Amino acid sequence: MFRPLGQMRLFRKISFFGLFAVALLVRGSSGTAAAANDPVTELDAFISSTLKEYQVPGAAVATVKDGKVILLKGYGLRDVTKPGVVDENTIFQLASVTKTLTATAAATIVDEGKLDWDKPIFNYLPEFVGYDPYMTRWLTERDLLAQRTGWPAYTGDQLDSFGYDRAEILRRLRFFKPRYSLREVAQYSNPGFFVAGEVAARCAKQSWNDLVEQRLFKPLEMSRSGTVIKALQGPNATAAHALVEGKIAAVEPTELDITGAASSGTSTAADMSKLMLMFLNKGTYNGKRILKPETVAEIFKRSMVSKIDFTDLPPISDKTGFYYGLGVGSYDYAGHQIIEKGGALAGVRTIINLVPDKNAGIVVLANLNLTAFPEAVRAFFLNQLLGIDPDADQKQILALNEQLKKLMAPPPPPKNPGKFNGSLQSLVGVYENDYYGRWEILQDGGGLKVQCGPAKYPATFKHWNNGAFLMQFPGATQTPTVTTFMIGEDGKAESFENESFGIFTRVKENK
């Protein structure tokens, strides 16, 4: 979840509304901006220069104002390994901006009276069982969509990769221990959105995928949007990119279609402009009522307060606050409520911003992770819109961008690492965790590998210090985690504890 330099420009305090009223529409990667010194021209130039400064291969941007698309343009390359430029119809993974689609699709069911935001979900999904009776009895759709389940932040969403289907993931959530009580502290939870999607789908009597496609994409005429990764297989789709050994490289995109309600959406700048226009027009698009005005207000309403954390980039600060609505966040900036949702997957960064009382919005889709490029563009747009120096936050965002790169660094090695006194063979075996299931550790040449769940999703173990090993999943954006083995009296491992996944206990000998 991200809710987050060009050259300094002479600041002119001008009427953004007046200049946008005469701005020309910019379309396509070869589009031409309006007259010099208007906001569209300046934003367009800023995006072009900042793309290079942040070393982002390609991006697509749409801005809307007063019911019209003002800027709609692609920048850079779809794939650094082959020719092909980004345009307004290039398909990107939306990452966690998918959560906004899930909440909006659920809202259409609320409008029909088939779902209540505040009715416990066992009324709709009776097979759901939480970790404790209180969660089972009182968890609501609002709790799921406003990140107030108490399930630990940024945790628990790997079951998709491990090969479990939706029914089994739902069953296993009874073993997923909350970090906080229900509605106590905001915790960003992908499993929560998976469940929210299942609740809405059950109420609509269709899959989450069909719900989004039929209730949102079809009436909004979002013809190049989808809910599974196969949408990236077409000719005008972006590749995923990451910084690998100091160089930008194409990497495998994240595939999380089973728990798709949290992150598997795909779309284009052109299609996302239609979603923004619908929200800003209080639920109506091209004369068609998608949502009731009061339902749009409910989505934007603050249902949970959140502390400012490492993903919150300027202009978000302790002064603005941050709050969760339903599938979106919000904060107060320069006297205006800003609606925002960001996303990140292996090789992609996305962000959408709406300023309802200015009837304006922006969406930025970028094919690189980790990068603060989307936050840099949205900060320039917001400051420009609200009569603030557009460059006000750029130096700070660029500095924070360098810090983001360090997130992928492995833990520092110990200065004097201790030796592992056992043998690798003593660690080989099958281990189990109630939530994550069975993992099998195997000897792999002179090292160890692990196969996780029914899909036998792979990882490797590398000795780090004493009885601790670093576990590494495949993918350029995966960070290794420390795993410690507990050795029994017979010299064999009885269990291991991973800092991200918890405790696994040996269940049988490996043959």
Side-chain angles (χ1 to χ4, degrees), residues 20 77 108 182 184 217 232 245 256 260 281 286 324 338 381 392 395 403 450 467 503:
F20 260 124
L77 300 174
T108 67
L182 191 62
E184 181 184 4
F217 295 161
L232 298 178
E245 297 180 352
L256 296 171
N281 200 31
N286 270 358
Y324 285 114
I338 312 298
F381 169 81
K395 287 185 177 180
Q403 294 182 26
V450 60
I503 297 174

Side-chain angles (χ1 to χ4, degrees), residues 10-258:
L10 180 64
F11 174 59
R12 297 172 297 280
K13 192 168 184 179
I14 56 178
S15 168
F16 195 90
F17 175 86
L19 286 173
F20 260 124
V22 298
L24 298 178
L25 175 67
V26 179
R27 278 192 187 276
S29 57
S30 61
T32 302
N37 298 327
D38 74 75
V40 174
T41 303
E42 293 187 350
L43 178 60
D44 180 37
F46 175 82
I47 295 168
S48 295
S49 64
T50 306
L51 190 81
K52 296 176 183 178
E53 189 164 24
Y54 281 76
Q55 298 181 290
V56 176
V61 178
T63 64
V64 298
K65 183 76 172 73
D66 296 330
K68 296 180 180 180
V69 180
I70 302 301
L71 173 68
L72 183 57
K73 189 174 178 180
Y75 303 81
L77 300 174
R78 296 193 300 258
D79 188 330
V80 296
T81 68
K82 61 185 70 172
V85 297
V86 174
D87 62 31
E88 71 272 26
N89 293 313
T90 299
I91 297 173
F92 287 75
Q93 287 182 289
L94 291 176
S96 282
V97 174
T98 303
K99 292 176 172 65
T100 304
L101 301 180
T102 294
T104 308
T108 67
I109 310 302
V110 172
D111 278 356
E112 292 182 352
K114 297 177 181 178
L115 173 62
D116 187 314
W117 298 124
D118 299 305
K119 192 172 183 178
I121 68 167
F122 77 84
N123 291 281
Y124 312 112
L125 208 62
E127 66 268 37
F128 172 77
V129 177
Y131 187 81
D132 55 53
Y134 183 74
M135 171 177 272
T136 304
R137 175 66 181 84
W138 295 109
L139 185 68
T140 68
E141 187 78 343
R142 187 185 302 275
D143 296 327
L144 297 163
L145 295 173
Q147 304 290 14
R148 58 189 206 183
T149 62
W151 281 326
Y154 312 109
T155 302
D157 51 349
Q158 297 88 349
L159 293 184
D160 189 315
S161 299
F162 296 164
Y164 298 104
D165 62 20
R166 288 176 176 172
E168 180 62 14
I169 293 173
L170 189 66
R171 187 192 73 81
R172 285 180 175 271
L173 284 168
R174 70 191 63 198
F175 304 116
F176 193 34
K177 185 177 180 179
R179 182 169 293 156
Y180 299 99
S181 181
L182 191 62
R183 306 176 195 128
E184 181 184 4
V185 177
Q187 295 284 279
Y188 193 89
S189 174
N190 286 317
F193 265 80
F194 160 69
V195 178
E198 292 301 284
V199 171
R202 182 67 59 84
C203 292
K205 298 182 179 180
Q206 57 189 157
S207 68
W208 169 81
N209 307 79
D210 289 342
L211 173 65
V212 172
E213 290 165 5
Q214 294 176 18
R215 298 297 189 99
L216 291 186
F217 295 161
K218 187 175 180 179
L220 287 174
E221 302 170 11
M222 297 172 67
S223 60
R224 289 183 58 75
S225 299
T227 58
V228 292
I229 196 175
K230 70 179 181 181
L232 298 178
Q233 297 171 359
N236 191 6
T238 185
H241 299 90
L243 195 65
V244 180
E245 297 180 352
K247 296 182 179 180
I248 302 296
V251 298
E252 286 296 316
T254 304
E255 183 174 354
L256 296 171
D257 288 347
I258 303 301

Side-chain angles (χ1 to χ4, degrees), residues 64-67 276-282 293 296-297 299-302 328-333 335-340 352-362 381-382 385-386:
V64 298
K65 183 76 172 73
D66 296 330
M276 290 193 293
L277 289 170
M278 182 274 291
F279 274 129
L280 293 171
N281 200 31
K282 300 181 179 180
V296 174
I299 291 173
F300 293 169
K301 188 175 78 172
R302 294 165 175 178
V328 297
S330 71
Y331 51 96
D332 295 312
Y333 182 53
H336 304 270
Q337 183 187 33
I338 312 298
I339 306 298
E340 179 167 308
I352 184 172
N353 268 89
L354 300 170
V355 189
D357 66 354
K358 286 287 188 179
N359 201 9
I362 186 170
F381 169 81
L382 287 176
L385 176 69
L386 302 178

